[in-house]
Amino acid sequence: MAEQLNDRGGSGLVDKLMEYLPARFRPGAAVVPVVRLSGVIGAVTPLRPGMTLAGVARVLERAFAVRNAKAVALVINSPGGSPVQSRQIFLRIKQLAAEKKLPVLVFVEDVAASGGYMIACAGDEIFCDPSSILGSIGVVGGSFGFQEAIRRLGIERRLYTAGAHKAMLDPFLPENPDDVARLKSIQREIHDIFIALVKESRGARLKGADDTLFTGEYWAGESAIALGLADGIGDLRSTLRARYGEKVLTPVIAQPTGLFSGLFGRRSPGAGQLSALESVTGLPDDLISALETRAIWAKFGF
């Protein structure tokens, strides 16, 4: 149709019609959709849902489906969390990138640590700010011991199990060295998976020794680049303009909002909306979860 109009001297009309098209549908426009991945991974409370594959899958799919896309940009700000959810999000990004044959550019804000760094490894390139925190390639688990507290309060612990290790690491029982050894064995297994993922993703760009990179330590931007954990200093706007031109379009792909988004289960990344009764009875758990979330961020100075 455009050719016919041009033949009749209607190029001005075509240009006018193009103005009414959304920018990303105009021929020749360089488009890089942007997805923000923020927060603790896998921790879900009614008021502060964490990042999960269920919560981000649809957004990622929409980003990789954008017409005329030259790449997909991920903006990551996460101190980590669930290793399972982290790896599942990583895999989904890699799968979509392979299917659509699009490069993935990662931009780290405050933190991409632990599971947050695992997700960042899905990128072909990782950019950060000089003050960004990256790394923490390790596995951590923690608990408390309350057996003395309940003894002093005159509380008797009654626990009934089938299975010799069903009550393993119960915080109201004395610590069992055999249980700790089993936990550490599981942690080492998960740590090995994490290490293999980083090595496969970063390859020859890694400059540090294993006993430096994979101890759970973390670094600021310039040091992370020197170790090969990131590729350069750069913010999203400047980097994309330098690579794709001053007129590059960067639409942010976000979760649907509004009245109907909640009806279709899109409002919460991992859990559906809870009833008022469940919210009230769950307040102690929410408080503990909020404190844990605060502690995870505080580890990196935020």
Side-chain angles (χ1 to χ4, degrees):
M1 176 180 177
E3 289 80 0
Q4 293 175 351
L5 286 172
N6 284 331
D7 290 342
R8 299 172 186 173
S11 59
L13 177 59
V14 173
D15 293 339
K16 192 69 177 176
L17 290 172
M18 288 299 177
E19 292 178 6
Y20 292 96
L21 282 175
R24 64 178 179 272
F25 294 121
R26 296 172 195 168
V31 182
V32 180
V34 179
V35 176
R36 297 186 61 87
L37 300 174
S38 302
V40 176
I41 302 165
V44 178
T45 67
L47 297 180
R48 289 188 175 273
M51 194 194 318
T52 64
L53 176 60
V56 303
R58 184 174 178 82
V59 175
L60 290 171
E61 289 164 4
R62 288 172 57 207
F64 278 95
V66 168
R67 184 177 178 182
N68 294 331
K70 301 295 184 183
V72 171
L74 305 178
V75 179
I76 294 179
N77 193 16
S78 173
S82 163
V84 173
Q85 291 298 323
S86 302
R87 186 171 179 275
Q88 288 185 347
I89 295 170
F90 164 89
L91 289 174
R92 181 60 60 87
I93 295 167
K94 297 292 284 187
Q95 290 162 359
L96 289 169
E99 290 171 9
K100 301 297 184 178
K101 297 181 173 57
L102 288 175
V104 176
L105 305 178
V106 169
F107 296 87
V108 177
E109 292 190 321
D110 298 310
V111 182
S114 194
Y117 183 72
M118 182 184 288
I119 294 174
C121 284
D124 296 284
E125 296 176 77
I126 300 174
F127 299 92
C128 60
D129 186 86
S131 299
S132 298
I133 299 296
L134 296 89
S136 191
I137 302 167
V139 181
V140 64
S143 183
F144 298 93
F146 296 106
Q147 70 275 7
E148 290 300 318
I150 63 173
R151 184 184 62 79
R152 291 174 183 174
L153 291 171
I155 300 172
E156 179 185 356
R157 173 66 163 153
R158 296 176 180 175
L159 186 66
Y160 311 101
T161 67
H165 304 293
K166 189 62 179 177
M168 186 174 75
L169 301 176
D170 185 295
F172 296 101
L173 295 175
E175 188 175 68
N176 184 329
D178 290 339
D179 292 346
V180 175
R182 290 187 187 91
L183 174 62
K184 287 185 174 294
S185 176
I186 293 171
Q187 288 180 323
R188 284 192 295 271
E189 187 174 350
I190 297 171
H191 193 198
D192 288 343
I193 293 169
F194 195 172
I195 292 170
L197 182 150
V198 173
K199 285 186 172 182
E200 182 178 356
S201 299
R202 299 299 296 169
R205 288 175 288 184
L206 292 175
K207 299 297 190 293
D210 285 9
D211 57 3
T212 298
L213 293 173
F214 306 128
T215 62
E217 189 177 354
Y218 46 88
W219 298 269
E222 295 283 6
S223 296
I225 293 168
L227 291 169
L229 297 176
D231 298 290
I233 299 295
D235 64 279
L236 184 142
R237 185 172 184 269
S238 301
T239 302
L240 296 184
R241 284 191 167 197
R243 186 162 300 191
Y244 299 105
E246 291 292 319
K247 295 184 179 180
V248 62
L249 302 169
T250 56
V252 177
I253 311 301
Q255 286 278 11
T257 58
L259 175 64
F260 294 104
S261 62
L263 296 178
F264 296 100
R266 297 174 186 171
R267 187 174 297 173
S268 175
Q273 288 182 282
L274 302 181
S275 68
L277 178 61
E278 287 174 322
S279 297
V280 172
T281 58
L283 284 177
D285 289 340
D286 295 342
L287 177 60
I288 293 172
S289 181
L291 291 172
E292 290 176 341
T293 299
R294 181 65 253 163
I296 292 172
W297 279 107
K299 176 181 177 181
F300 303 101
F302 296 96

